[in-house]
Amino acid sequence: MKKMLLSVAVLLGCVLAVPRAFAHAVLVSSTPAIHGTLHGPDVEFVLKYNSRVDGTRSSLTLVKVGGASQAVTLEKQPAPEQLLAHAKLGAGDYALRWQAVAADGHISRGEIPFTVK
Ligand SMILES: [Cu+2]
């Protein structure tokens, strides 16, 4: 309950403090899609948000299911609302954990489970 109140407060703070165009980042679409499949070994990650994200302060972590996790280096942003990275991956199940810093300074996080064939 306390945690829920806190997120409501954070959300409210965001809505009240900044114009709508600069709200914190919500993932709109991604490659891979959630529970999507990619063909390896060369894979591309593209994350699209509803608002600008700071590519220098955002981060991606790749977790192999039943294996290790590794940081993924973000490349030059193709657009202000997008994050881009590449990796070489063997077949298996993975999760891409993202942390995005929006223009209002708010951090949002999420996870994209996907499979490499
Ligand atoms: Cu925000």
Side-chain angles (χ1 to χ4, degrees), residues 10-11 13-15 18 22-25 102 104-107:
V10 168
L11 209 62
C14 176
V15 170
V18 296
F22 297 102
H24 60 265
D104 66 0
H106 288 169
I107 297 170

